[in-house]
């Protein structure tokens, strides 16, 4: 079927919308890396140098996608040469991986790709204030590949035990001192088996002269704690820093505000996620997951408790005077209870106008013992007592208005007023709500640079978890966000690429994209629903005009009686016309027969063939007269053979009307 140009343009527009949706999904796939590059803040020369380094690294670390045959051949060659085959057998999308190398100055970088923990120190101490059977830090650590979506050659640190205390730490290349450079902390976490209750946060251990990592435990001084934590249905992303009171030198923990997004999916999807914390010398901070911001604020205004205490506090020695009146309203002292006020009148009284209904059965009980009940065979009267049949409603009361002693119904007492109280009036002695006076806070201080925290020189993980196989990888501490971004693209970016390639299909990816961007549902409906609807609308077979039979329809009448009278008149007229037609046909037939007989007699001979022809002519004349009297049923001409059928159907309709009328 042909479509006009307008509909063709609309279909082209829908196709373009579908292409735009796919392009938007592809943009989302690369948006994190692009956003990170836009936020680098590099000048033109540094950008050129970094781009040149990126091109060299991309040439060295270019990912190659292998089809199934090439992958199988390579696996066979590696198996024949004694290489590894089992580790890559379950990887549907393989890339050539090279251990990432920082592109700038860093304080700490760890990939675990060498498979050793020589740089790390396990804690050998005991946890304080814990039972002896769990106080020891005896949780196991290992260096392994990911269980799912593994990148060949990439390994990470895995927490292997459950319901145990774990502690491991490593020294930085050099201590970090909070001065004029930002602090960027970044690492990867994968809850491979989900998480019931436990954390995956890190601690930046404060620089102390006698720091011994073998004695690392929960009370070891730290400067910053950062990372995910979950217990029950509370999903958190911690950022805690310890601030030193300049007056008494005490350390107090300051907690950043909660993240602005729902964090549940990062704990349940069993994917590797990238956690980043950025602290700036202007006291601003930002937390990111997978290079997308989830929380930002300022150390002076967005932490609890605040860094700086209030200037004034309530005087602890001030007390409310005895004659202080805080009552805004008091009972009117001049009010007097009225003489007719009866405080003893009941709230409810019997209705004096009520009367017992007729037929009330005073001598019948409302419930009677069940006559059909029988004592159980195992009933022991010594143990169970005397058996009594259960009570059932009295059958005699079913038809009566009631049984038993009749009582008047209770109604509200019109004389009831309750206990009299004097009305309230404004208190002339009201002094307001008392508050203690304010005094200067003796512990007040003002620290406008909370960014300048205690230096730290080690990174540690001190964790308790009810779930094992928590994966950590690619720790980096630097002062340059662009260095961390390049590090992420060379490490976490490959994991994300492999995980995306191993997704079940394009349908699942579109659903995930729609979860993050609900407006994509509109695109999906337009690209799928509209074409289907238009196809059904324009391609569904239509009935031709010849298939329709237009029947005569009686004009609706408002009055039913008039309609019945008209039908009766029409039926009588039709019957009279039929009778007249029948009489005329009979007379005509007799006359013609007489004339034919006379002609035959005059002809003086037998002529059977002529008689047959005359009889056929008479039958055709009679059929023509009957067809002219039959009502028309259609707007088109019908063959003459249908005349008898039409007349018969008309007669049946008349009979039905008569039956319906009777």
């Amino acid at each position: 079927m042909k479509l006009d140009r307008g509909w063709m343009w609309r279909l082209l527009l829908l196709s373009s919308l579908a292409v735009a949706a796919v392009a938007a999904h592809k943009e989302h796939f690369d948006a994190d890396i692009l956003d990170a590059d836009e936020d680098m803040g590099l000048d033109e020369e540094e950008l050129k140098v970094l781009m040149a380094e990126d091109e060299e690294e991309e040439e060295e670390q270019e990912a190659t996608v292998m089809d199934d045959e090439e992958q199988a051949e390579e696996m066979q060659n590696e198996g024949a040469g004694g290489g590894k085959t089992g580790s890559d057998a379950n990887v549907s999308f393989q890339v050539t991986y090279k251990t990432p190398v920082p592109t700038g100055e860093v304080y700490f970088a760890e990939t675990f790709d060498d498979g050793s923990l020589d740089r790390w120190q396990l804690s050998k101490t005991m946890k304080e204030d814990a039972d002896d059977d769990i106080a020891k830090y005896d949780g196991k650590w290992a260096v392994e590949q990911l269980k799912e979506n593994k990148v060949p050659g990439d390994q990470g640190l895995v927490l292997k035990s459950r319901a145990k205390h774990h502690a491991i730490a490593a020294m930085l290349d050099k201590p970090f001192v909070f001065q004029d450079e930002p602090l960027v902390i970044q690492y990867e976490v994968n809850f491979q088996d989900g998480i019931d209750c436990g954390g995956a946060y890190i601690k930046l251990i404060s620089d102390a002269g006698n720091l011994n990592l073998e004695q690392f435990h929960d009370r070891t001084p730290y400067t910053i704690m950062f990372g995910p934590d979950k217990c029950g249905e509370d999903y958190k992303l911690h950022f805690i820093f310890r601030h030193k009171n300049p007056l008494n030198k005490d350390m107090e923990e300051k907690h950043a505000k909660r993240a602005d997004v729902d964090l549940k999916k990062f704990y349940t999807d069993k994917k590797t996620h990238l956690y980043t914390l950025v602290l700036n010398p202007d006291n601003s901070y930002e937390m990111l997951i997978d290079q997308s911001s989830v929380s930002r604020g300022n150390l002076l205004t967005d932490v609890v408790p605040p860094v700086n205490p209030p200037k004034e506090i309530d005087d602890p020695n001030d007390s409310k005077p005895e004659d202080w009146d805080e009552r805004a309203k008091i009972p009117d002292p001049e009010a007097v209870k009225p003489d007719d006020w009866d405080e003893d009148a009941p709230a409810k009284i019997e209705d004096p106008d009520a009367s017992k209904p007729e037929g009330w059965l005073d001598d019948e009980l409302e419930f009677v013992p069940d006559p059909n009940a029988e004592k159980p065979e195992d009933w022991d009267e010594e143990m169970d007592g005397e058996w009594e049949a259960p009570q059932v409603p009295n059958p005699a009361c079913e038809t009566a208005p009631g049984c038993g002693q009749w009582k008047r119904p209770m109604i509200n007492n019109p004389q009831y007023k309750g206990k009299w109280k004097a009305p309230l009036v404004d208190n002339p002695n009201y002094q307001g709500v008392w508050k203690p006076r304010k005094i200067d806070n003796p512990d007040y201080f003002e620290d406008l640079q909370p960014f300048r925290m205690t230096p730290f020189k080690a990174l540690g993980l001190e964790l308790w978890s009810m779930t094992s196989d928590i994966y950590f990888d690619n720790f980096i501490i630097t002062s340059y966000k662009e260095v961390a971004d390049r590090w992420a693209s060379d490490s976490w970016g490959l994991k994300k690429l492999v995980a995306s390639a191993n997704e079940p299909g394009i349908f699942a990816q579109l659903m995930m994209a729609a979860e993050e961007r609900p407006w994509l549902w509109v695109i999906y409906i337009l690209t799928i629903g509209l074409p289907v609807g238009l196809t059904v609308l324009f391609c569904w077979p239509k009935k031709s005009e010849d298939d329709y039979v237009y029947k005569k329809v009686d004009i609706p009448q408002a009055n039913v009686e008039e309609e019945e009278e008209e039908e009766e008149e029409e039926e009588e007229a039709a019957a009279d016309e039929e009778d007249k037609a029948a009489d005329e046909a009979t007379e005509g037939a007799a006359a013609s027969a007489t004339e034919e007989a006379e002609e035959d007699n005059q002809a003086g001979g037998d002529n059977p063939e002529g008689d047959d022809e005359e009889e056929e002519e008479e039958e055709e004349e009679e059929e023509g007269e009957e067809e002219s009297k039959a009502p028309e049923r259609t707007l088109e001409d019908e063959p003459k053979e249908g005349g008898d059928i039409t007349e018969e159907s008309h007669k049946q309709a008349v009979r039905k009307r008569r039956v319906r009328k009777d």
Side-chain angles (χ1 to χ4, degrees), residues 69-182:
E69 295 180 358
E70 293 175 351
Q71 181 180 350
E73 291 178 1
E74 182 176 343
M75 292 171 59
Q76 291 176 359
N77 295 334
E78 289 179 353
K84 58 181 180 180
T85 58
S87 62
D88 299 344
N90 297 326
V91 182
S92 60
F93 180 88
Q94 290 192 346
V95 296
T96 56
Y97 172 79
K98 183 178 180 181
T99 300
V101 178
T103 57
E105 182 181 2
V106 298
Y107 294 85
F108 184 83
E110 177 63 84
T111 63
F112 303 101
D113 290 343
D114 58 359
S116 68
L117 291 174
D118 296 340
R119 184 178 185 178
W120 296 78
Q121 178 63 53
L122 293 173
S123 177
K124 299 179 180 179
T125 187
M126 303 282 287
K127 183 179 176 66
E128 299 181 8
D129 301 331
D131 296 336
D132 294 339
D133 56 341
I134 62 172
K136 190 175 182 180
Y137 286 96
D138 55 352
K140 303 299 182 182
W141 298 89
V143 177
E144 299 176 350
Q145 285 187 325
L146 283 168
K147 290 182 177 180
E148 300 178 1
N149 300 320
K150 62 184 65 177
V151 178
D154 180 41
Q155 299 187 83
L157 178 66
V158 181
L159 182 148
K160 298 297 294 181
S161 308
R162 61 181 302 273
K164 289 183 178 293
H165 291 287
H166 303 74
I168 191 171
M171 288 289 186
L172 272 62
D173 298 337
K174 58 180 179 180
F176 183 90
V177 180
F178 294 88
Q179 291 294 335
D180 300 325
E181 293 183 346

Side-chain angles (χ1 to χ4, degrees), residues 26 77 232 245 293 307 330 343 379 396 472 489 500 567 574 603 649 653:
K26 186 177 183 300
N77 295 334
N245 189 316
S293 179
V307 171
I330 61 173
E343 294 183 348
W379 186 274
F472 301 86
S489 65
S500 299
E567 289 179 357
S649 63

Side-chain angles (χ1 to χ4, degrees), residues 58-317:
E58 287 175 0
E59 292 177 358
E60 296 176 358
Q61 303 178 12
E62 181 179 3
T64 58
V65 182
M66 297 183 296
D67 57 18
D68 296 338
E69 295 180 358
E70 293 175 351
Q71 181 180 350
E73 291 178 1
E74 182 176 343
M75 292 171 59
Q76 291 176 359
N77 295 334
E78 289 179 353
K84 58 181 180 180
T85 58
S87 62
D88 299 344
N90 297 326
V91 182
S92 60
F93 180 88
Q94 290 192 346
V95 296
T96 56
Y97 172 79
K98 183 178 180 181
T99 300
V101 178
T103 57
E105 182 181 2
V106 298
Y107 294 85
F108 184 83
E110 177 63 84
T111 63
F112 303 101
D113 290 343
D114 58 359
S116 68
L117 291 174
D118 296 340
R119 184 178 185 178
W120 296 78
Q121 178 63 53
L122 293 173
S123 177
K124 299 179 180 179
T125 187
M126 303 282 287
K127 183 179 176 66
E128 299 181 8
D129 301 331
D131 296 336
D132 294 339
D133 56 341
I134 62 172
K136 190 175 182 180
Y137 286 96
D138 55 352
K140 303 299 182 182
W141 298 89
V143 177
E144 299 176 350
Q145 285 187 325
L146 283 168
K147 290 182 177 180
E148 300 178 1
N149 300 320
K150 62 184 65 177
V151 178
D154 180 41
Q155 299 187 83
L157 178 66
V158 181
L159 182 148
K160 298 297 294 181
S161 308
R162 61 181 302 273
K164 289 183 178 293
H165 291 287
H166 303 74
I168 191 171
M171 288 289 186
L172 272 62
D173 298 337
K174 58 180 179 180
F176 183 90
V177 180
F178 294 88
Q179 291 294 335
D180 300 325
E181 293 183 346
L183 171 64
V184 181
I185 307 165
Q186 185 172 275
Y187 68 107
E188 302 170 12
V189 176
N190 189 325
F191 297 103
Q192 301 184 95
D193 295 334
I195 183 71
D196 294 327
C197 184
Y201 46 80
I202 62 174
K203 291 182 177 180
L204 303 181
I205 304 173
S206 301
D207 186 3
N210 57 350
L211 179 60
N212 183 4
L213 298 183
E214 291 185 354
Q215 301 299 317
F216 175 46
H217 55 86
D218 61 322
R219 297 191 179 183
T220 300
Y222 69 90
T223 301
I224 290 176
M225 189 175 86
F226 169 67
D229 188 16
K230 186 252 183 181
C231 195
E233 291 300 319
D234 189 11
Y235 301 88
K236 298 179 180 178
L237 179 59
H238 288 299
F239 167 38
I240 305 172
F241 68 95
R242 300 174 77 235
H243 179 263
K244 179 184 288 188
N245 189 316
L247 299 181
N248 54 22
K249 307 303 179 182
D250 290 340
M251 303 296 292
E252 185 178 20
E253 291 183 350
K254 310 293 181 181
H255 296 251
K257 66 179 182 179
R258 297 181 68 94
D260 300 328
V261 299
D262 185 11
L263 302 176
K264 183 176 181 179
K265 65 177 181 179
F266 302 110
Y267 296 78
T268 57
D269 60 4
K270 298 182 181 181
K271 293 183 179 180
T272 304
H273 295 288
L274 185 71
Y275 294 86
T276 308
L277 171 64
V278 180
L279 281 175
N280 298 308
D282 62 355
N283 298 317
S284 64
Y285 71 86
E286 184 177 17
M287 291 185 282
L288 304 96
I289 301 180
D290 298 344
Q291 295 185 330
S292 297
S293 179
V294 297
S295 179
R296 61 177 64 191
N298 191 285
L299 301 179
L300 289 171
T301 58
D302 298 310
V303 297
V304 179
V307 171
N308 296 315
K311 291 183 178 181
E312 294 182 340
I313 60 172
D314 295 337
D315 186 358
N317 300 321

